Amino acid sequence: PEGNYCLQAQDVLVLVAPHAAAAKRCVVPRPSATSAATVAPEESKGLYLAESLVKSDGQLRLGPAADGPKTVLVLGCPGAGDIAEILDTIDVHVSSGSSVHILSRTPVAEREEWILQHLKMTGRSNFNRITVQQYEGESTNRWDM
């Protein structure tokens, strides 16, 4: 939809949360008496549970394209906090055994330190579903790619 689109009564807002407690933080307004939309009792509480959306290993499966290990290429590398957040996001969406290859002119040792600090701060030593391979080079140079 357009950027200025306002949700209508017949629209469905989907909140994706890691667990029911987190989903309850979102307060969904109750439909007005004049609303034509019908809402099931559990939906009126703002809580939708879709077990098929989150696989047993924690992968957020948004469709059949998410099945099976993937190879993800990241060309260029944002700053310290951003690359770790991007890797966390990729880790949530891909299947186990997936790999991420990062090509950037930022020195590999510097990027690895950023990632290790992030993992340590979040109480982990590695990602759940991905392995990360790092390469140093210009992401706009076809010879380095």
Side-chain angles (χ1 to χ4, degrees):
E2 297 287 326
N4 61 352
Y5 179 80
C6 185
L7 288 175
Q8 305 297 310
Q10 70 276 10
D11 292 337
V12 176
L13 176 64
V14 177
L15 169 67
V16 178
H19 46 76
K24 288 181 181 178
R25 290 185 204 140
C26 178
V27 178
V28 178
R30 295 197 181 274
S32 67
T34 59
S35 171
T38 58
V39 179
E42 66 276 4
E43 293 173 350
S44 66
K45 296 175 188 165
L47 180 62
Y48 296 84
L49 296 177
E51 285 79 18
S52 62
L53 188 62
V54 180
K55 294 176 66 175
S56 62
D57 69 351
Q59 177 195 358
L60 182 59
R61 185 183 177 276
L62 296 179
D67 292 340
K70 304 294 179 205
T71 300
V72 179
L73 305 176
V74 177
L75 301 177
C77 181
D82 294 335
I83 188 60
E85 294 292 330
I86 290 168
L87 291 172
D88 270 342
T89 301
I90 293 170
D91 192 48
V92 167
H93 288 86
V94 298
S95 294
S96 294
S98 294
S99 61
V100 178
H101 300 263
I102 303 172
L103 172 65
S104 173
R105 66 180 172 185
T106 304
V108 170
E110 190 174 339
R111 287 181 270 148
E112 286 179 350
E113 182 60 31
W114 295 341
I115 293 166
L116 287 173
Q117 284 178 0
H118 172 77
L119 290 171
K120 192 174 190 178
M121 285 177 20
T122 57
R124 298 176 289 164
S125 59
N126 52 28
F127 294 100
N128 295 319
R129 283 172 285 287
I130 63 172
T131 58
V132 179
Q133 276 87 33
Q134 306 240 23
Y135 308 91
E136 198 167 324
E138 289 293 330
S139 58
T140 57
N141 183 337
R142 68 180 177 158
W143 304 114
D144 285 346
M145 288 190 229

